[in-house]
Amino acid sequence: MENKEIKHLIISKRLIKINSLLVAIIISANILAIAINLITGLNNTVIIPFIVCSLISFVINRKQNLVIVIPLSLFFLIYFLLSYLQIGASPHWKDYLMSFFAFGITSFIVTSQPFEVKKIMKYITLIYVFTSWIFLFLDLENMLPGNKMGLGYLILPVILVCIYQLFYIKIKSSQKLYYFIIIVWYGYFMMKVGTRGAFLSIGLYIFLLFVITKKITINRIIIYLLGLGTLIFVYTNILPLLLVARNLLENLNIKSNFIEKSVLLIEGNNVFNGRDILYESAFNGFKESWFYGKGIGFFHDHYGTYIHNIFLQMLNESGVLLIIPFVFLILYCIFLLFLSKKIDQSFKLFICFIFSLAIPKLIVSSIYWKEQGFWILIIMIISFKMFKNYRFSKV
């Protein structure tokens, strides 16, 4: 362990800067993909940032920390092998396997290397500034619902970064103006296309920052209680509040996808938007094969859609064999955030950032095989546990 710590000390600042940029590119890959598509006209451009970043990382870091990347990649590939033995190479088995190579293994390679949190946040902001022009070329009004949902999640990283910079660290007035302009620009589009999952992520991130960055005092307990009371009030009066908000936004000529869809679902007594049926079908499949599941991609092949919940997807696809280590990982993540004294504050806040990007989205929608935030969270937690020299993040 001492040798590893010594090795970490001689890592150049230049290398850490490059690694930080690569992590920022991986996190921002979706908006970069749209920009590349608009410029070149190429399709499936989302894999380009992942391939480029992983190749650069592999070369400049000289295979460092592959002792984590290789076993972890093999761990998930074993589940694909088991599923292949069950259901063969079904269409979505192939799709998820390619997604794991593109989003999972590449995220492992890049994020297992030394980086600095402050630089990642800075680079994410710069990437979103230089790609902000893409929203001038998107037809948001006629965009398909699924594409709107994806666009809302795409905006999330820069929204969370700006919230952190504006409210939780001390910066110059000129810098606050810089982040304020950015959050206004992207906040406007978030209001137009953001979904319930996106706003849930923002709410979770604010809550985590509020809890973790401050000490518990009587005043803060009072604030917690007031916040709980506010949530109860909002929950019990959600429809009237949404209608008021819709009228206010209409006066500003803003049509919010989140509000419109929420009102429609509540009035139609369909808050889950059909997800409850998917959840029940997924759980029934798990009961039929509880130990190793029905096979990766089986549900999507059989029902024509994905499960919209990471826990039920894991149970259905791989049974308790996969859900147990994943739940343990999430519990350890929560332990690091709230109870551990061995983790530095900046790295803790970065875990909050990635956790808020990935987990709420995966609980209500999306497919974890295709989410780089999920894979980044996994490799960060495991690397922190295994290597003392993974504590290199600074603010």
Short mmCIF file of all heavy atoms in Angstrom, two decimals, residues 32-52:
data_model
loop_
_atom_site.label_atom_id
_atom_site.label_comp_id
_atom_site.label_asym_id
_atom_site.label_seq_id
_atom_site.Cartn_x
_atom_site.Cartn_y
_atom_site.Cartn_z
N LEU A 32 -22.13 16.25 -26.41
CA LEU A 32 -21.10 16.26 -27.44
C LEU A 32 -21.55 15.46 -28.65
O LEU A 32 -21.26 15.83 -29.80
CB LEU A 32 -19.80 15.68 -26.88
CG LEU A 32 -19.03 16.57 -25.89
CD1 LEU A 32 -17.89 15.78 -25.26
CD2 LEU A 32 -18.49 17.81 -26.58
N ALA A 33 -22.27 14.37 -28.41
CA ALA A 33 -22.77 13.54 -29.51
C ALA A 33 -23.73 14.31 -30.40
O ALA A 33 -23.69 14.21 -31.63
CB ALA A 33 -23.45 12.29 -28.96
N ILE A 34 -24.61 15.10 -29.78
CA ILE A 34 -25.55 15.91 -30.57
C ILE A 34 -24.80 16.95 -31.39
O ILE A 34 -25.10 17.18 -32.57
CB ILE A 34 -26.58 16.59 -29.64
CG1 ILE A 34 -27.47 15.54 -28.99
CG2 ILE A 34 -27.44 17.58 -30.44
CD1 ILE A 34 -28.50 16.12 -28.05
N ALA A 35 -23.80 17.59 -30.77
CA ALA A 35 -23.00 18.58 -31.49
C ALA A 35 -22.28 17.95 -32.68
O ALA A 35 -22.27 18.52 -33.79
CB ALA A 35 -22.00 19.23 -30.53
N ILE A 36 -21.69 16.78 -32.47
CA ILE A 36 -20.99 16.10 -33.56
C ILE A 36 -21.97 15.71 -34.67
O ILE A 36 -21.66 15.85 -35.86
CB ILE A 36 -20.27 14.84 -33.03
CG1 ILE A 36 -19.16 15.24 -32.06
CG2 ILE A 36 -19.69 14.02 -34.17
CD1 ILE A 36 -18.54 14.06 -31.32
N ASN A 37 -23.15 15.27 -34.28
CA ASN A 37 -24.17 14.90 -35.26
C ASN A 37 -24.60 16.10 -36.10
O ASN A 37 -24.74 16.00 -37.33
CB ASN A 37 -25.38 14.29 -34.55
CG ASN A 37 -26.55 14.04 -35.48
OD1 ASN A 37 -27.47 14.84 -35.54
ND2 ASN A 37 -26.51 12.94 -36.22
N LEU A 38 -24.81 17.25 -35.46
CA LEU A 38 -25.24 18.45 -36.19
C LEU A 38 -24.15 18.95 -37.13
O LEU A 38 -24.44 19.48 -38.20
CB LEU A 38 -25.64 19.54 -35.21
CG LEU A 38 -26.92 19.30 -34.41
CD1 LEU A 38 -27.14 20.40 -33.37
CD2 LEU A 38 -28.13 19.22 -35.34
N ILE A 39 -22.90 18.79 -36.73
CA ILE A 39 -21.79 19.28 -37.55
C ILE A 39 -21.48 18.34 -38.70
O ILE A 39 -21.25 18.76 -39.84
CB ILE A 39 -20.53 19.47 -36.67
CG1 ILE A 39 -20.76 20.61 -35.67
CG2 ILE A 39 -19.31 19.78 -37.54
CD1 ILE A 39 -19.65 20.75 -34.65
N THR A 40 -21.47 17.03 -38.43
CA THR A 40 -21.03 16.05 -39.43
C THR A 40 -22.15 15.31 -40.13
O THR A 40 -21.95 14.76 -41.22
CB THR A 40 -20.10 15.01 -38.77
OG1 THR A 40 -20.85 14.25 -37.80
CG2 THR A 40 -18.93 15.69 -38.07
N GLY A 41 -23.32 15.24 -39.46
CA GLY A 41 -24.42 14.46 -40.02
C GLY A 41 -24.31 12.98 -39.75
O GLY A 41 -25.15 12.19 -40.22
N LEU A 42 -23.30 12.57 -38.99
CA LEU A 42 -23.11 11.15 -38.67
C LEU A 42 -24.11 10.69 -37.61
O LEU A 42 -24.54 11.49 -36.77
CB LEU A 42 -21.69 10.90 -38.17
CG LEU A 42 -20.55 11.19 -39.16
CD1 LEU A 42 -19.21 11.05 -38.46
CD2 LEU A 42 -20.63 10.24 -40.36
N ASN A 43 -24.47 9.43 -37.64
CA ASN A 43 -25.35 8.84 -36.63
C ASN A 43 -24.52 8.05 -35.61
O ASN A 43 -23.36 7.73 -35.85
CB ASN A 43 -26.38 7.91 -37.29
CG ASN A 43 -27.32 8.67 -38.20
OD1 ASN A 43 -27.75 9.78 -37.87
ND2 ASN A 43 -27.66 8.08 -39.34
N ASN A 44 -25.17 7.74 -34.47
CA ASN A 44 -24.51 6.97 -33.40
C ASN A 44 -23.20 7.61 -32.95
O ASN A 44 -22.22 6.93 -32.64
CB ASN A 44 -24.24 5.53 -33.86
CG ASN A 44 -25.52 4.79 -34.22
OD1 ASN A 44 -26.53 4.92 -33.53
ND2 ASN A 44 -25.48 4.03 -35.30
N THR A 45 -23.19 8.93 -32.91
CA THR A 45 -21.96 9.65 -32.55
C THR A 45 -21.66 9.61 -31.05
O THR A 45 -20.59 10.05 -30.63
CB THR A 45 -22.06 11.13 -32.99
OG1 THR A 45 -23.29 11.69 -32.49
CG2 THR A 45 -22.03 11.24 -34.50
N VAL A 46 -22.60 9.10 -30.25
CA VAL A 46 -22.38 9.08 -28.80
C VAL A 46 -21.20 8.20 -28.42
O VAL A 46 -20.56 8.43 -27.38
CB VAL A 46 -23.66 8.63 -28.06
CG1 VAL A 46 -23.92 7.15 -28.27
CG2 VAL A 46 -23.55 8.94 -26.57
N ILE A 47 -20.88 7.20 -29.22
CA ILE A 47 -19.77 6.32 -28.87
C ILE A 47 -18.41 6.96 -29.15
O ILE A 47 -17.39 6.50 -28.62
CB ILE A 47 -19.86 4.97 -29.62
CG1 ILE A 47 -19.68 5.16 -31.12
CG2 ILE A 47 -21.18 4.28 -29.32
CD1 ILE A 47 -19.56 3.87 -31.90
N ILE A 48 -18.38 8.02 -29.95
CA ILE A 48 -17.10 8.63 -30.32
C ILE A 48 -16.35 9.17 -29.11
O ILE A 48 -15.16 8.87 -28.94
CB ILE A 48 -17.31 9.73 -31.39
CG1 ILE A 48 -17.81 9.11 -32.68
CG2 ILE A 48 -16.01 10.51 -31.63
CD1 ILE A 48 -18.13 10.12 -33.77
N PRO A 49 -17.00 9.98 -28.22
CA PRO A 49 -16.26 10.46 -27.04
C PRO A 49 -15.74 9.33 -26.16
O PRO A 49 -14.64 9.43 -25.61
CB PRO A 49 -17.31 11.30 -26.30
CG PRO A 49 -18.30 11.70 -27.33
CD PRO A 49 -18.35 10.54 -28.27
N PHE A 50 -16.51 8.26 -26.03
CA PHE A 50 -16.09 7.14 -25.18
C PHE A 50 -14.86 6.44 -25.76
O PHE A 50 -13.91 6.15 -25.03
CB PHE A 50 -17.24 6.15 -25.02
CG PHE A 50 -18.37 6.65 -24.19
CD1 PHE A 50 -19.45 7.28 -24.76
CD2 PHE A 50 -18.34 6.51 -22.80
CE1 PHE A 50 -20.49 7.76 -23.99
CE2 PHE A 50 -19.39 6.98 -22.02
CZ PHE A 50 -20.46 7.61 -22.61
N ILE A 51 -14.89 6.16 -27.04
CA ILE A 51 -13.76 5.46 -27.67
C ILE A 51 -12.50 6.31 -27.61
O ILE A 51 -11.42 5.84 -27.23
CB ILE A 51 -14.10 5.10 -29.13
CG1 ILE A 51 -15.24 4.07 -29.17
CG2 ILE A 51 -12.87 4.57 -29.85
CD1 ILE A 51 -15.74 3.76 -30.56
N VAL A 52 -12.62 7.58 -27.96
CA VAL A 52 -11.46 8.48 -27.97
C VAL A 52 -10.87 8.61 -26.56
O VAL A 52 -9.65 8.51 -26.36
CB VAL A 52 -11.85 9.86 -28.53
CG1 VAL A 52 -10.70 10.85 -28.35
CG2 VAL A 52 -12.23 9.75 -30.00
#
